[in-house]
Amino acid sequence: MKKRQIAFAGASVAMVLMTAACGASEDKSAGSANVQPIGGTQTVGVGATSGASGYGTSAGTGAGNEAGGDSGDATSGKDALTGPAKQLSVRDVPKLGSIVTDSKGWTLYRFDEDTSGASPKSNCNDACATKWPPVPASDATVSTGIAEKELGSVTRADGTKQLTLGGWPVYRFAGDTKAGDTKGHGVGGTWNALAPDGKPAGKKAAQDDSLQLSVTSNAKLGKIVVDGQGMTVYRFDKDSAWPMKTGCLNACLETWKPVKPVDTSKVAGVDPKKLTTFTRPDGSKQLAFDCWLLYTFTGDTKPGDTNGQGKQGLWFAVTDKAKKAGVAASE
């Protein structure tokens, strides 16, 4: 009997501690308790939902399927998409600003899920590399507007050398059917035309590149949270904030991308004390805001898009208070 009492007491203490981290409100739109800051991770939770039901739909995936728009002819100009870049050039494009092209005018791209810096790595292989042909590192030079020091190379999984710009592996897009096309920009929310410094093209000059999470004003939804690229972040009604569980698994993750943890010193407009790191069933880390897991939508192709709002009646942009945007407080 004494052992059972001790075990019950221990379970009660654990429940109180978890309640202090993530409020136990049944109202999924109103999590408001204080949570532990990023640094400690939350226990993995898996919702009962699996498969594609309720996930919303989009043709876009991180591997390169376009989220809407003209799909283009993936085979047109094939030779032009696989050779060396030769002399890189800079040209101005409406809405995107300065972008980098190869010597024949084909737009060059970068992939947010690659690794940059001193040890760059390409994470686009196999079918992805067919849709997004890597640019060979050989025979690349610069022209006005691009610093020669920004050029480099990375060894791919197959042993070939790929060009890097500003530390980021460089690609072309098979969906671009002619020089000057920028159809790959914004695909999956992870592919962007390259700016001359290796950053994603199209960022507003006033945007603070150091911010990893911030708040913007949307004409219809009010104040909503965006990631470091300005892309809208969402929450899912089939997730749970108490206890923290994920209902987005398998096929769902092809359309809704978990937001990675952020440096809490690089956020603006949200309470950093309410940001936590959640460990998903596959061991990867995901950002949570007031215990609600955050995602981006592959159907959003550029900053400011909110195409995921209301999908299946389950997905909603997130307000600066972690509530569902566009939904009455009582819902």
Side-chain angles (χ1 to χ4, degrees), residues 131-176:
K131 191 74 173 180
W132 301 88
V135 176
S138 61
D139 197 14
T141 60
V142 299
S143 59
T144 302
I146 305 174
E148 187 172 359
K149 67 178 182 179
E150 299 292 351
L151 294 184
S153 66
V154 60
T155 301
R156 295 179 53 76
D158 61 6
T160 60
K161 296 285 187 180
Q162 181 177 0
L163 179 67
T164 62
L165 180 66
W168 287 92
V170 179
Y171 306 83
R172 298 184 181 95
F173 179 47
D176 285 346

Side-chain angles (χ1 to χ4, degrees), residues 2-329:
K2 185 173 293 184
K3 289 184 178 179
R4 290 183 179 178
Q5 291 175 336
I6 293 173
F8 179 78
S12 298
V13 171
M15 183 66 72
V16 169
L17 291 175
M18 290 184 71
T19 301
C22 296
S25 170
E26 289 297 322
D27 180 2
K28 299 297 197 233
S29 68
S32 60
N34 291 327
V35 297
Q36 298 173 357
I38 289 178
T41 58
Q42 300 296 317
T43 304
V44 174
V46 181
T49 305
S50 62
S53 176
Y55 298 149
T57 56
S58 169
T61 67
N65 293 322
E66 287 193 89
D70 184 3
S71 61
D73 179 0
T75 61
S76 179
K78 181 178 180 180
D79 292 341
L81 294 174
T82 57
K86 298 188 178 180
Q87 188 177 59
L88 304 185
S89 299
V90 178
R91 74 183 188 90
D92 289 330
V93 176
K95 296 183 179 181
L96 293 183
S98 297
I99 68 169
V100 179
T101 69
D102 65 14
S103 62
K104 295 183 179 179
W106 291 84
T107 301
L108 302 181
Y109 298 90
R110 49 166 274 172
F111 185 32
D112 284 352
E113 294 188 14
D114 283 347
T115 301
S116 65
S119 302
K121 178 184 178 182
S122 169
N123 290 313
C124 179
N125 299 290
D126 304 320
C128 174
T130 299
K131 191 74 173 180
W132 301 88
V135 176
S138 61
D139 197 14
T141 60
V142 299
S143 59
T144 302
I146 305 174
E148 187 172 359
K149 67 178 182 179
E150 299 292 351
L151 294 184
S153 66
V154 60
T155 301
R156 295 179 53 76
D158 61 6
T160 60
K161 296 285 187 180
Q162 181 177 0
L163 179 67
T164 62
L165 180 66
W168 287 92
V170 179
Y171 306 83
R172 298 184 181 95
F173 179 47
D176 285 346
T177 57
K178 64 182 183 300
D181 280 352
T182 57
K183 296 177 181 178
H185 183 76
V187 168
T190 54
W191 290 92
N192 295 279
L194 272 164
D197 58 0
K199 294 180 180 179
K203 284 191 174 183
K204 295 180 180 178
Q207 182 175 340
D208 184 348
D209 289 341
S210 68
L211 290 179
Q212 298 176 7
L213 197 73
S214 59
V215 173
T216 188
S217 293
N218 179 276
K220 294 182 178 179
L221 301 177
K223 292 183 177 181
I224 59 173
V225 181
V226 297
D227 68 7
Q229 306 300 321
M231 304 301 291
T232 302
V233 301
Y234 300 86
R235 47 176 277 186
F236 184 33
D237 274 1
K238 288 192 177 182
D239 284 347
S240 171
W242 176 256
M244 286 183 73
K245 292 182 180 180
T246 176
C248 184
L249 303 163
N250 305 321
C252 173
L253 296 174
E254 296 178 6
T255 302
W256 302 91
K257 301 296 184 181
V259 175
K260 296 178 181 179
V262 299
D263 180 344
T264 55
S265 68
K266 297 182 178 180
V267 302
V270 300
D271 185 350
K273 294 180 180 179
K274 292 187 177 182
L275 297 175
T276 54
T277 296
F278 175 75
T279 302
R280 294 187 58 80
D282 63 3
S284 62
K285 307 295 183 182
Q286 182 173 3
L287 181 65
F289 180 24
D290 207 6
C291 300
W292 282 100
L293 302 181
L294 301 182
Y295 305 82
T296 54
F297 178 48
T298 57
D300 288 342
T301 59
K302 64 182 183 301
D305 280 354
T306 55
N307 297 321
Q309 175 69 8
K311 279 287 184 183
Q312 303 294 312
L314 297 169
W315 292 91
F316 299 91
V318 179
T319 73
D320 58 336
K321 305 300 182 185
K323 295 184 179 181
K324 295 185 287 189
V327 177

